[in-house]
Amino acid sequence: MICYFQPVVIWFTAVLSSIVILEIVENLILRDNAPNIPEAIDRLFADIANINRESMAEIQDAQVEEMAVNLWNWAVTKRVGLVISEEQKAKLRHVACKLVCMCGGSAASEESIQRQILMNMKTGKGWVDVGNAVIADQFFQDAMAGLEQLYVRLMQRSSNEVHMTLQKIAVERDLFKVLSYQAEAACARGDFQRASTCALRCKDMLMRFPKMTGYLHILCYNFGVETHKQNKYEESSFWLSQSYDIGKMDKNSVGPEMLAKVLRLLATAYLDWDDREYYDKARRAINLANKEHLNPAGVFLKMKILLKSEIANEELLEAVMEIMHLDMSLDFCLNVAKLLMDHEREAVGFYFMKIICERFKSSENIGKALLLHIDMLLQRKEELLAKEKIEEIILGQQTGRQLTTELVSCLHNILWKKAARSFEVQNYADALNWYYYSLRFYATDQTDLDFAKLRRNMASCYLHLKQFDKAKEAVIEAERHDPTNIFTQFYVFKIAVLEGNSGRALQAITTLEKLLIPEGPEENELLADRDSPVMLLSLAAQFALEYGQQIVAGKALEYLARYSEDPQQVLTALKCLFRLVLPRVSQMPESENKKKEMDRLLTCLNTALLKLSQSFNGEDSTSDSRANEAHWFRKIAWNLAVQCGKDPVTMREFFILSYKLSQFCPSDQVILIAQKTCLLMAAAVDLEQGRKASTAFEQTKLLNRALEQIHKCREIWNLLKETGDFSSDPCETLLLLYEFEVKAKMNDPLLDSFLESVWELPHLESKTFETIASLAVEMPAHYPSIALKALKRALLLYKKKESIDVLKYSKCMHNLINLLVPDGVPSTELCPLEEVWGYFEDALSTIIHTEGYPETEILWLMIKSWNTGIFMYGRRKYVSAEKWCGLALRFLDHLSSLKRSYETQVNILYSELVEALDRKKGSHFNEE
């Protein structure tokens, strides 16, 4: 069934496509400025492959041809405001041509056949021009078939001989064009055999069409150029030979200049073929080119060919002498001389230079020849002869035969290159000699930045020769003319170090550092390569260390670490810096200077942390080298933190840095302990600073930061507990207290739920509960109920011990009673008065049954209970008043050294109180 319906499907698709094409063509022609024209053209091109004449059976041939011609004309007509690409034009011609070729068939008129031939030719040429030779060839074949059909028609039709001849000539002319186009397409496809066959057929037709000679000559030349670019030298030589042969056939249309150009390229192709058997062909081609039209390019190419052929010097010298008779320019002659020297024909080259200098001695450009001669002599190590030439130029400068500014600059360049070569082999005296020649070309009033560079180079040579005075003089000159140059400041630095002038050396290093910070887009061009100044900082540090200037070296290392982009170089510089600075800083007394040094080291450690966090030579974060570096720096940060006991803020920063650096180390037990300690210390400092904060905002920020560190520390603590027994470590208790303080002071609504788990912990000691109690009422926190509960638990723990610690117990009892009876006024909101009485009784019982209860605490309890009695008296609670005052007497009985001081006074007051109570009781009934 599928096979049965397939023709129907194909027919339906073709019909549908033909309808779409008709609509698109009409829309294009009617609305030629529509924005969707490129899409419409692509749709036309895609659909034309799916249609045939049968699918457009309802449309007459004349209508199809008219539509195709209109589309063709629309494609080739230029319109203002409409821009379509050459490829889109090729697609439109493609569609129009296909439509035209569907009409007529074998019964097509001669006019229709001619139209089809023309359209096929132009459509194929359009595809060639946009680089699609494969599609183009199809149209050329159709054009060739059309020409054959037309030729047959002509031969079958009876006509007069003249008319027949003219029509045959027209057909052959079109055949010539099609063949040339086919050659072009074949060449583009790389089909040399097909291209050459078509081109040779065209060549055979030139006798009948001499006016096409120039066209075919250029076509072959272009083929030669393209194949030469593709290094197809055999094909290139064929096309260029054909171009030359064809060009000679009509010298009226092809001039000698063009023929010479073709021959020069032909000679170049033979030369580039790089095979000795083609060098003779190259020589013949270039000789023929120069005979056709003498040109400097041809003469120069001839010299290249002769040198490649390795002819003897005698024959080469003859060719050189011929050049002198051709009246060539100085620049051309110098280029030939350089060519000779490049091919190591020194004898001929130097002889030719001598002739050039003599020939052009009166020329204003003779300086070019002299400079080239000097450069050649120096390259061949003919230094004495070069110096003679330089002296000649110097004499000329003094006698009015001066070089131009440009040539003087070139001479400086030659001399500096020679000096640099001597410097590289450590022949510093010889380098100075050539730099001195350069210096002689500077007039006393003529200086520039290159002059400063020259003086710096000379200073470098003097330093290597240990001639420090001359080096200093040269550096002073360089600084006077170019003080903002980094190399100038580097030499200023070196001179200062050699003189032992550390202040001047530090100043130079600081200036150098400032120059490293670009102030704008037109900053020192040397900064485009940051390696140069960074390299200078490294060299400066090494130089200062060699001469014992440790402070200066430290500053250079600090700047090196700041500006280098190499992580390993930065870390190495920082390690050297710490080794220099730490011993000195650790011995400094507490002062502002020590604070500055600590801040400086803090910055350096932050730099180390940054570099460790960056890509480390492509290694991953667990690499041994990175871990080793991190270990070293974290220990430094730890030791510095320990030294900052009197500066807690700085201490915290060092501990945090130590923690961060340790994160690059393997998480073994040692590292976990260190991390835990760092975070505990940092949290402690933040809590302490939070207590002292002057504003609520600052306090909140510090407390939040402390809480973050507490949470991190708890995670580490949980990991650490898995590695061993840490039952004696107070970390967990400290974390509990720190977190409680933060939550209490920030009025955390979840504080009670946090404490629920705390009350159930079995390992907490009395001291921990006392601390909780203290923190619960420390401003801005105010949780007296929590403080009460904590103190009760603390007292309970003291009592549970076999041997009570009286001092600690008394202090805890003091805090509890002071909480319940502040300023002699019982706080019944917290606790009933009967319970308060019970705590006084507990204290008294402990005093009775335990030795060593502090007498001051007994005195305090006595006064507290007496004041409570007086408070009750004032509230007309006389029975309670007598009871509390009586309790005070009981405490009085347990005083020792202080009893005598208070006994008489208290007894008198008590007697007075009892009398007053008796009177009150007699006159009033007071119900407790």
Side-chain angles (χ1 to χ4, degrees):
M1 292 177 67
I2 294 175
C3 294
Y4 178 79
F5 283 112
Q6 191 173 9
V8 177
V9 173
I10 294 173
W11 175 83
F12 179 76
T13 303
V15 171
L16 186 63
S17 297
S18 64
I19 295 171
V20 171
I21 284 179
L22 292 173
E23 291 179 355
I24 293 174
V25 170
E26 288 178 2
N27 287 333
L28 276 177
I29 295 171
L30 293 175
R31 294 181 295 176
D32 58 6
N33 282 321
N36 60 342
I37 283 179
E39 290 81 1
I41 293 173
D42 290 339
R43 179 71 185 277
L44 270 178
F45 180 68
D47 286 345
I48 193 65
N50 298 324
I51 69 169
N52 50 43
R53 189 67 185 92
E54 289 75 16
S55 64
M56 297 190 297
E58 297 180 0
I59 308 175
Q60 299 296 320
D61 282 352
Q63 291 177 290
V64 175
E65 284 191 354
E66 182 184 4
M67 177 177 62
V69 170
N70 288 338
L71 181 63
W72 179 279
N73 292 336
W74 185 88
V76 299
T77 304
K78 293 183 179 179
R79 286 172 171 78
V80 177
L82 176 62
V83 179
I84 59 174
S85 68
E86 292 301 318
E87 183 177 6
Q88 289 169 335
K89 290 179 181 178
K91 289 179 179 180
L92 288 173
R93 291 193 188 102
H94 182 113
V95 173
C97 185
K98 287 290 185 182
L99 289 172
V100 165
C101 291
M102 290 179 189
C103 302
S106 59
S109 65
E110 290 184 11
E111 183 181 356
S112 294
I113 295 172
Q114 289 174 343
R115 182 186 299 117
Q116 291 175 14
I117 293 169
L118 177 64
M119 293 177 75
N120 275 305
M121 287 169 55
K122 292 196 173 183
T123 301
K125 187 63 169 72
W127 280 120
V128 169
D129 292 341
V130 298
N132 197 327
V134 175
I135 296 180
D137 209 43
Q138 299 172 4
F139 286 94
F140 294 145
Q141 291 176 16
D142 291 344
M144 193 67 78
L147 285 170
E148 291 175 358
Q149 184 182 3
L150 183 60
Y151 191 80
V152 169
R153 290 278 188 93
L154 290 175
M155 296 303 294
Q156 292 175 347
R157 179 162 50 84
S158 59
S159 179
N160 65 67
E161 186 175 349
V162 175
H163 187 258
M164 176 73 71
T165 302
L166 289 175
Q167 288 190 320
K168 286 174 64 178
I169 290 173
V171 170
E172 289 179 353
R173 184 181 293 107
D174 286 341
L175 176 62
F176 182 95
K177 289 182 181 179
V178 173
L179 286 170
S180 69
Y181 292 161
Q182 284 183 318
E184 195 172 351
C187 191
R189 295 198 315 272
D191 188 348
F192 172 70
Q193 191 63 40
R194 177 74 185 279
S196 59
T197 300
C198 293
L200 290 174
R201 284 187 66 185
C202 288
K203 183 179 178 182
D204 292 340
M205 298 172 70
L206 285 176
M207 294 298 293
R208 295 192 297 279
F209 304 105
K211 291 184 179 179
M212 301 302 291
T213 302
Y215 164 76
L216 189 59
H217 156 74
I218 292 297
L219 186 67
C220 290
Y221 174 77
N222 290 338
F223 292 167
V225 172
E226 289 302 316
T227 50
H228 185 265
K229 288 178 182 178
Q230 299 167 18
N231 300 328
K232 297 178 179 179
Y233 302 120
E234 185 175 4
E235 294 180 19
S236 179
S237 62
F238 170 82
W239 290 118
L240 293 169
S241 297
Q242 293 299 321
S243 178
Y244 176 65
D245 290 344
I246 294 167
K248 287 193 303 179
M249 295 170 66
D250 184 6
K251 290 197 173 184
N252 291 326
S253 60
V254 183
E257 294 89 348
M258 187 62 200
L259 290 174
K261 182 178 180 180
V262 172
L263 288 167
R264 284 196 299 272
L265 185 55
L266 176 61
T268 303
Y270 284 134
L271 187 64
D272 292 342
W273 209 331
D274 204 17
D275 192 327
R276 294 189 61 82
E277 74 173 278
Y278 295 104
Y279 291 164
D280 287 340
K281 290 185 177 182
R283 289 177 65 177
R284 286 196 293 273
I286 197 61
N287 286 334
L288 193 56
N290 291 338
K291 185 177 179 181
E292 286 284 355
H293 177 73
L294 190 61
N295 181 283
V299 177
F300 192 79
L301 180 58
K302 179 180 178 179
M303 291 303 302
K304 288 177 68 175
I305 294 170
L306 292 175
L307 287 167
K308 196 86 171 186
S309 304
E310 299 181 358
I311 63 172
N313 280 350
E314 292 76 10
E315 188 177 354
L316 189 62
L317 186 60
E318 290 180 10
V320 166
M321 296 308 296
E322 286 180 10
I323 293 175
M324 301 309 296
H325 294 99
L326 296 176
D327 197 25
M328 294 294 176
S329 68
L330 173 61
D331 287 339
F332 177 82
C333 293
L334 293 179
N335 285 332
V336 171
K338 284 190 282 188
L339 183 67
L340 291 167
M341 300 305 288
D342 290 343
H343 285 78
E344 299 182 355
R345 297 299 186 96
E346 298 175 6
V348 179
F350 280 125
Y351 182 76
F352 190 44
M353 279 303 307
K354 183 178 179 182
I355 296 174
I356 291 172
C357 291
E358 181 64 28
R359 173 75 174 271
F360 293 97
K361 63 182 178 181
S362 59
S363 170
E364 61 180 12
N365 295 319
I366 185 60
K368 290 183 180 180
L370 295 175
L371 261 59
L372 179 61
H373 199 177
I374 291 169
D375 195 21
M376 289 178 173
L377 290 169
L378 289 176
Q379 289 181 26
R380 271 69 185 177
K381 296 185 169 42
E382 299 285 347
E383 296 178 2
L384 289 177
L385 291 175
K387 289 179 179 178
E388 290 179 8
K389 294 293 179 183
I390 294 170
E391 292 292 348
E392 287 181 18
I393 293 176
I394 292 173
L395 181 62
Q397 291 286 101
Q398 296 170 350
T399 57
R401 292 184 291 111
Q402 295 183 340
L403 298 178
T404 63
T405 303
E406 181 182 357
L407 289 179
V408 170
S409 178
C410 292
L411 179 58
H412 283 307
N413 189 38
I414 293 169
L415 295 171
W416 286 22
K417 284 183 178 179
K418 172 56 183 167
R421 290 195 293 269
S422 297
F423 190 93
E424 287 173 2
V425 297
Q426 300 180 8
N427 191 349
Y428 305 116
D430 187 61
L432 270 172
N433 187 32
W434 298 106
Y435 282 133
Y436 182 69
Y437 274 124
S438 179
L439 186 64
R440 290 173 67 182
F441 282 92
Y442 278 99
T444 55
D445 59 343
Q446 178 204 1
T447 56
D448 54 20
L449 294 182
D450 282 338
F451 176 78
K453 184 177 180 180
L454 173 63
R455 298 301 279 165
R456 288 195 299 270
N457 292 342
M458 295 179 73
S460 181
C461 294
Y462 286 131
L463 286 173
H464 282 94
L465 295 171
K466 308 298 182 185
Q467 298 178 18
F468 299 133
D469 290 341
K470 291 184 178 180
K472 183 177 181 179
E473 180 183 344
V475 170
I476 290 172
E477 280 288 303
E479 188 177 22
R480 187 160 63 88
H481 292 97
D482 192 9
T484 60
N485 185 279
I486 57 174
F487 296 103
T488 299
Q489 290 303 319
F490 178 67
Y491 283 109
V492 171
F493 166 82
K494 292 185 78 169
I495 296 296
V497 169
L498 289 170
E499 292 178 338
N501 188 344
S502 59
R504 183 73 176 99
L506 283 171
Q507 181 183 350
I509 279 290
T510 302
T511 303
L512 182 59
E513 187 264 344
K514 290 178 180 177
L515 294 174
L516 296 180
I517 306 172
E519 296 178 356
E522 298 180 359
E523 186 61 29
N524 192 331
E525 63 183 14
L526 283 167
L527 297 186
D529 179 11
R530 289 187 64 85
D531 289 341
S532 295
V534 168
M535 175 195 68
L536 291 183
L537 290 171
S538 178
L539 293 174
Q542 295 174 26
F543 194 75
L545 286 173
E546 288 175 12
Y547 287 88
Q549 295 277 352
Q550 293 192 356
I551 295 177
V552 176
K555 183 59 71 175
L557 289 168
E558 183 181 348
Y559 290 148
L560 175 61
R562 183 180 302 175
Y563 294 104
S564 175
E565 295 179 357
D566 179 359
Q568 187 58 65
Q569 186 181 47
V570 171
L571 296 176
T572 302
L574 289 173
K575 289 169 80 171
C576 293
L577 175 61
F578 279 112
R579 290 189 180 104
L580 288 175
V581 175
L582 279 179
R584 178 170 54 85
V585 173
S586 61
Q587 296 175 4
M588 292 175 68
E590 295 298 328
S591 61
E592 187 63 29
N593 286 337
K594 183 171 184 177
K595 178 69 170 63
K596 288 180 180 178
E597 286 297 316
M598 284 295 187
D599 290 342
R600 176 189 177 196
L601 295 178
L602 191 64
T603 301
C604 292
L605 282 171
N606 272 307
T607 302
L609 175 65
L610 177 64
K611 294 303 175 182
L612 282 167
S613 64
Q614 293 174 351
S615 177
F616 201 77
N617 294 332
E619 299 171 359
D620 58 36
S621 59
T622 59
S623 64
D624 291 339
S625 56
R626 178 182 292 199
N628 291 336
E629 297 287 7
H631 266 303
W632 195 92
F633 284 105
R634 79 165 185 85
K635 291 176 183 177
I636 295 295
W638 178 282
N639 292 334
L640 287 169
V642 172
Q643 294 181 34
C644 292
K646 295 184 179 179
D647 185 359
V649 175
T650 305
M651 178 177 68
R652 177 204 176 275
E653 295 302 318
F654 280 121
F655 272 127
I656 287 294
L657 272 173
S658 184
Y659 163 73
K660 290 180 178 179
L661 289 163
S662 70
Q663 291 179 303
F664 297 105
C665 305
S667 296
D668 55 22
Q669 190 181 77
V670 173
I671 292 298
L672 290 173
I673 291 173
Q675 289 178 340
K676 177 230 4 169
T677 308
C678 288
L679 290 171
L680 274 177
M681 295 300 295
V685 172
D686 281 337
L687 288 173
E688 181 61 30
Q689 295 302 308
R691 297 181 194 117
K692 299 175 182 177
S694 57
T695 65
F697 174 78
E698 184 182 1
Q699 184 180 60
T700 301
K701 183 179 75 171
L702 290 165
L703 292 176
N704 276 322
R705 194 165 70 175
L707 188 61
E708 181 182 346
Q709 285 144 198
I710 291 165
H711 289 160
K712 288 180 183 177
C713 188
R714 181 167 283 114
E715 292 175 5
I716 293 169
W717 172 244
N718 291 333
L719 293 173
L720 186 58
K721 287 189 293 184
E722 297 174 2
T723 67
D725 181 14
F726 291 91
S727 56
S728 61
D729 194 313
C731 176
E732 192 152 0
T733 301
L734 290 173
L735 289 174
L736 184 152
L737 293 173
Y738 290 170
E739 187 167 2
F740 172 75
E741 180 176 356
V742 172
K743 289 179 178 294
K745 289 182 176 175
M746 294 180 68
N747 197 22
D748 191 327
L750 301 177
L751 181 61
D752 288 331
S753 61
F754 168 75
L755 283 173
E756 284 177 7
S757 58
V758 174
W759 301 133
E760 302 302 325
L761 293 175
H763 61 279
L764 296 185
E765 298 179 353
S766 302
K767 179 64 178 175
T768 304
F769 285 115
E770 290 182 82
T771 305
I772 290 175
S774 175
L775 294 172
V777 292
E778 185 178 273
M779 292 296 292
H782 184 68
Y783 296 95
S785 59
I786 292 175
L788 176 61
K789 190 171 184 178
L791 289 171
K792 285 180 181 180
R793 289 180 175 270
L795 283 175
L796 183 61
L797 289 175
Y798 281 128
K799 286 182 179 182
K800 284 182 178 180
K801 292 186 178 180
E802 294 181 4
S803 176
I804 190 169
D805 188 329
V806 179
L807 293 176
K808 292 181 179 179
Y809 174 85
S810 65
K811 183 179 178 182
C812 183
M813 181 60 77
H814 182 113
N815 291 334
L816 176 60
I817 292 175
N818 200 41
L819 179 67
L820 296 173
V821 190
D823 302 323
V825 180
S827 178
T828 56
E829 293 179 2
L830 280 177
C831 182
L833 193 58
E834 290 78 8
E835 188 176 335
V836 177
W837 173 268
Y839 292 124
F840 277 91
E841 287 283 4
D842 284 346
L844 183 59
S845 175
T846 303
I847 293 168
I848 294 170
H849 296 99
T850 309
E851 295 182 357
Y853 205 99
E855 189 176 16
T856 53
E857 288 297 322
I858 298 173
L859 177 62
W860 182 82
L861 289 166
M862 182 194 77
I863 296 171
K864 204 74 172 174
S865 56
W866 179 270
N867 290 340
T868 303
I870 297 303
F871 173 76
M872 292 299 177
Y873 180 83
R875 299 287 294 273
R876 301 173 67 183
K877 295 185 178 182
Y878 304 120
V879 175
S880 292
E882 184 178 4
K883 176 181 173 183
W884 282 98
C885 289
L887 180 60
L889 292 177
R890 292 164 67 190
F891 281 115
L892 176 63
D893 290 340
H894 294 283
L895 292 174
S896 55
S897 61
L898 296 174
K899 185 175 183 180
R900 182 175 297 178
S901 302
Y902 288 93
E903 187 174 21
T904 304
Q905 182 182 359
V906 171
N907 284 326
I908 293 171
L909 289 172
Y910 184 73
S911 298
E912 293 175 355
L913 177 65
V914 170
E915 290 178 6
L917 286 172
D918 288 340
R919 288 195 300 272
K920 296 291 184 181
K921 289 176 183 177
S923 58
H924 302 284
F925 176 77
N926 180 55
E927 183 178 348
E928 292 289 341

